[in-house]
Amino acid sequence: MSNEDKSDKSNKSNKSNKSMDLDEIRKQIKRELKKELLLEIRRELKYEEKATKEQKVETVEMARETPAPIAPATGKENIIVSVTSVLKIASHAYKYANPKIPKPKWVEVIGILAGSIDVNGHTLFLEDAYPMGHGTTVYAEIKDYKNYVRAYNDIKKKDLFVCGWYHSHPSYGLFMSKEDFGTQVRYQKLWKRSLALVIDPYLIDGSSYGFKIFRARLKTKEWYPVPFVIKGAFDPVILPELLSFISPIVYGNALYLEYDED
Ligand SMILES: [Zn+2]
């Protein structure tokens, strides 16, 4: 990477002798800013790694800039999902796949999971979810890297860390496709306890939360569901009504108005 940087710089200095149009200058500034930002994130990550006195994180592709603290390896693990996460993920999925939209137009959504971990490392709290975007009927990806960095910074401000990702399978069930598996492998190489949450809003019918959480076995290339509990006594029976009640928020509208306010 440092070699690339060097050659990049020398190219630039050669070019700078010639006249450079505004567009090119702008592009160059953008590149420099991006580089600075990434460097800063990396520096912070390095500091965190030292602070947590743990083994080093394996880095791959986007993982280089995608942070996660290293938790002590533990034999047993509890995963506790916050109601906020459930509502955010469900309403995000529901926004692009609900009875008001013709079913052939339902599309997948994708986002990042933010978590925290208890001192002994036994309990992973899935605290919040950060909606990133939506895709086609069968595929969603995080397209804009800048948004990923923004989400990363927001998560860090809350003293949380990226503990995985979520996406929806509108009406086709809870499983990991080949692409999903590949994505999950990248997350787990970054942090081995990363979670892949898959939600099918079609399954939110009062009998289930409509999602499962998966992990990948890197060696055998298998995926498997991991058990979790929802924080508090949050009965899935109330989820459909709750989702329908909060749905105006998803579109940036007030939940309700007084007749006076019309
Ligand atoms: Zn999928």
Side-chain angles (χ1 to χ4, degrees), residues 38 43 91 106-108 162 181 184 190 222 246:
L38 293 180
R43 249 178 258 131
S91 59
W106 288 6
V107 296
E108 291 193 4
V162 176
F181 186 86
Q184 177 60 9
L190 175 64
E222 295 166 313
I246 67 166

Side-chain angles (χ1 to χ4, degrees), residues 111-128:
I112 300 173
L113 302 175
S116 66
I117 211 153
D118 67 341
V119 275
N120 61 25
H122 290 314
T123 306
L124 171 57
F125 298 95
L126 171 42
E127 307 264 20
D128 208 345

Side-chain angles (χ1 to χ4, degrees), residues 108 167 169 177 180:
E108 291 193 4
H167 76 294
H169 283 175
S177 72
D180 299 340

Side-chain angles (χ1 to χ4, degrees), residues 205-259:
D205 58 0
S207 67
S208 106
Y209 299 107
F211 70 86
K212 281 187 178 173
I213 297 176
F214 300 105
R215 278 196 183 120
R217 279 195 188 95
L218 306 195
K219 280 180 190 161
T220 55
K221 295 191 174 160
E222 295 166 313
W223 50 268
Y224 60 98
V226 290
F228 63 88
V229 294
I230 310 286
K231 204 172 181 178
F234 184 59
D235 195 316
V237 165
I238 64 172
L239 191 53
E241 188 178 335
L242 210 49
L243 272 182
S244 133
F245 179 67
I246 67 166
S247 65
I249 292 180
V250 173
Y251 298 98
N253 300 322
L255 279 187
Y256 53 83
L257 294 171
E258 291 177 350
Y259 283 106

Side-chain angles (χ1 to χ4, degrees), residues 108 138 165 167-169 172 175-177 179-180 198:
E108 291 193 4
V138 291
W165 63 297
H167 76 294
S168 66
H169 283 175
Y172 52 93
F175 63 96
M176 294 281 275
S177 72
E179 288 78 15
D180 299 340
V198 181

